[in-house]
Amino acid sequence: MTAKTHITVGCAVSLLITHPSNAKDMITCLGVSAIGSVISDIDVTTSESKKGLKKIIAVTVAAIAVTLLCDSILHTNIISRFQSNENIMRLILGFFVFIFICIFGEHQPHRSFMHSILGLSLIIASSSVIWAISAKYMAVSMASHIIIDMLNKKRIQLFYPLKKPRIGFNICYSDGLVNMLLFHAGGIVCVGYIVLTSYDIIKGFF
């Protein structure tokens, strides 16, 4: 599937499963899910690999920037959670472990380590070290990426490092009709959830 489809589906599934009910949790959910929904494709090895890697970096930077901006505007105090020395050390440790996993994954064949249960588990673990609450959003969004990639014709190495079985249901192409439908469905769910939750938050003030 395309990056934009992975992002909308990942964010939509995270919203529906984790049910963030306030501005702080919703911002965190969307920011982390945007990253988690595309991180698996850091292992792209085609002629478009550099372009794909730039997209992932761009999504990550944009997600962090938007999260910081929303935190500043809405005063949700997300950043304040990292101001103690203990939390800063956890952040640094978790960040370096996360980067190491991504660098390792980048050099593995496409749809192998970064599309596996092992890769998913390690990313979740490093995310929990960085910020415990982020782990559930990362888990759901990255898992959604892996699951919908199973619909494609190219199979994934789900049980890496085992070579077999490779799983793929051969239902659709990565940029065809199913991809488009998933993109629009994910977008509708995201917008609908944000609007309804925002309405409930605003109503609570009156």
Side-chain angles (χ1 to χ4, degrees):
M1 302 301 175
T2 59
K4 65 181 182 180
T5 296
H6 280 303
I7 292 171
T8 58
V9 171
C11 289
V13 173
S14 290
L15 288 171
L16 292 176
I17 290 180
T18 62
H19 296 294
S21 57
N22 55 61
K24 177 170 62 179
D25 289 346
M26 192 182 305
I27 292 168
T28 304
C29 174
L30 293 174
V32 174
S33 296
I35 298 170
S37 61
V38 295
I39 198 69
S40 289
D41 277 344
I42 202 168
D43 61 7
V44 174
T45 56
T46 65
S47 59
E48 295 291 317
S49 60
K50 290 185 179 179
K51 183 178 178 182
L53 183 57
K54 286 180 180 178
K55 284 184 179 179
I56 292 171
I57 293 172
V59 169
T60 301
V61 171
I64 293 173
V66 172
T67 299
L68 293 176
L69 179 62
C70 290
D71 180 49
S72 175
I73 293 173
L74 300 176
H75 305 291
T76 49
N77 298 319
I78 293 174
I79 301 305
S80 65
R81 298 187 180 189
F82 301 105
Q83 290 180 344
S84 71
N85 290 334
E86 181 182 352
N87 285 337
I88 291 174
M89 291 305 297
R90 282 172 56 92
L91 178 64
I92 294 172
L93 174 62
F95 177 76
F96 277 107
V97 172
F98 184 87
I99 292 300
F100 176 81
I101 295 168
C102 290
I103 292 173
F104 176 80
E106 182 188 0
H107 291 86
Q108 301 307 303
H110 185 40
R111 298 198 174 187
S112 60
F113 172 71
M114 291 301 287
H115 286 70
S116 70
I117 294 173
L118 176 60
L120 172 63
S121 300
L122 291 175
I123 289 291
I124 294 171
S126 63
S127 298
S128 68
V129 174
I130 296 172
W131 189 12
I133 194 174
S134 72
K136 61 182 180 181
Y137 305 130
M138 183 66 72
V140 174
S141 57
M142 188 173 175
S144 77
H145 181 118
I146 294 170
I147 290 170
I148 64 175
D149 266 0
M150 291 182 190
L151 302 176
N152 295 171
K153 295 180 179 294
K154 187 172 183 179
R155 299 183 177 188
I156 69 170
Q157 196 174 337
L158 185 63
F159 302 104
Y160 177 96
L162 298 178
K163 297 290 185 181
K164 294 182 178 180
R166 296 183 73 93
I167 301 175
F169 300 119
N170 199 28
I171 293 174
C172 61
Y173 292 101
S174 61
D175 58 352
L177 176 61
V178 174
N179 173 74
M180 182 184 70
L181 292 174
L182 286 173
F183 169 71
H184 288 297
I188 290 170
V189 170
C190 286
V191 172
Y193 191 98
I194 292 170
V195 170
L196 290 175
T197 303
S198 298
Y199 173 75
D200 288 339
I201 293 172
I202 294 172
K203 188 172 67 174
F205 288 107
F206 298 97

